[in-house]
Amino acid sequence: MTDTQASAPAAKPDLGPFGVFGRGVTPHQAKEIEALGYGAVWVGGSPPAELTWVEPILAATSTLQVATGIVNIWTAEAGAVSESFHRIDKAYPGRFLLGIGVGHREMIKEYRKPFDALVDYLDRLDEYGVPTHRRVVAALGPRVLQLSAQRGAGAHPYLTTPEHTAQARQLLGDGAFLAPEHKAVLTTPDKEGADQARAVGRKALDMYFKLANYRNSWKRSGFGDDEVVAPGSDRLIDAVVAYGTPDAIAARLKEHLAAGADHVPVQVLTKDENLISALAALAGPLGLNGS
């Protein structure tokens, strides 16, 4: 191998243009999600280090990728997470993406110097051989966004806008992976539908209004102090929750791609039993090959 080959960066993760974000996806749902053409499922909620739920999803599918959005560095020890990564990657090579993050100051007693703790955690992942190109970092502000490109494949922002995506792309450069989550509510294209979607969005965002990192992120994006506290301004809700017809939602989600995102995990705010039908309605307007 030449020096040039040795120093060449690994390719970005390829999860397709759109994925599905949720707090829990069953293997059966995953199979249907794959058939619709979505490239990945992202599972949030700070899962435990064992990650035993990952293999059943991968076993039920053939090309779908699974990502964590995110493993919390305070509650999941790096060594145990690394063991889980290698176990999964050995069984299903290239189909698992490890997302990590620092969580929230308000919820973690041990929360101290989060940036330094994140760097230490990434150091541990290095020691345990978790490849840089198969891990992403939850990132909102400039410092952690830059770290995500330096020490991982890139960033997984949450509750952001296409404008944030454009700024993030500038900070990350072209070579880093960028996968911003965006929420969606299918509803009618009228005032009644907008009011309903905003109510659903406000319910989903209720806890985030209490978290300083999200409030600060929104303020960096141009929202005022009075807009980023509960119940949130209509302008804020409209910015972070896409709603209306499938075509309208798809158009909003595609703004992230136009702004520089590689992949957009879509979080449909609906009852579990309606998830697949909602994703099916969006698949065509999103241009997915399973539709």
Side-chain angles (χ1 to χ4, degrees), residues 140-142 164 167 213-223:
L140 295 173
H164 180 279
Q167 295 166 359
N213 59 337
Y214 288 104
R215 294 196 306 270
N216 291 336
S217 174
W218 294 327
K219 286 192 284 187
R220 283 193 298 267
S221 293
F223 294 96

Side-chain angles (χ1 to χ4, degrees), residues 6-59:
S7 60
K12 286 184 188 181
D14 182 5
L15 279 64
F18 295 101
V20 175
F21 187 102
R23 297 296 174 182
V25 174
T26 68
H28 179 71
Q29 287 175 322
K31 191 172 183 178
E32 294 185 278
I33 288 167
E34 179 182 66
L36 289 170
Y38 294 90
V41 293
W42 294 71
V43 177
S46 298
E50 291 74 18
L51 301 177
T52 54
W53 49 270
V54 174
E55 283 102 335
I57 293 175
L58 293 175

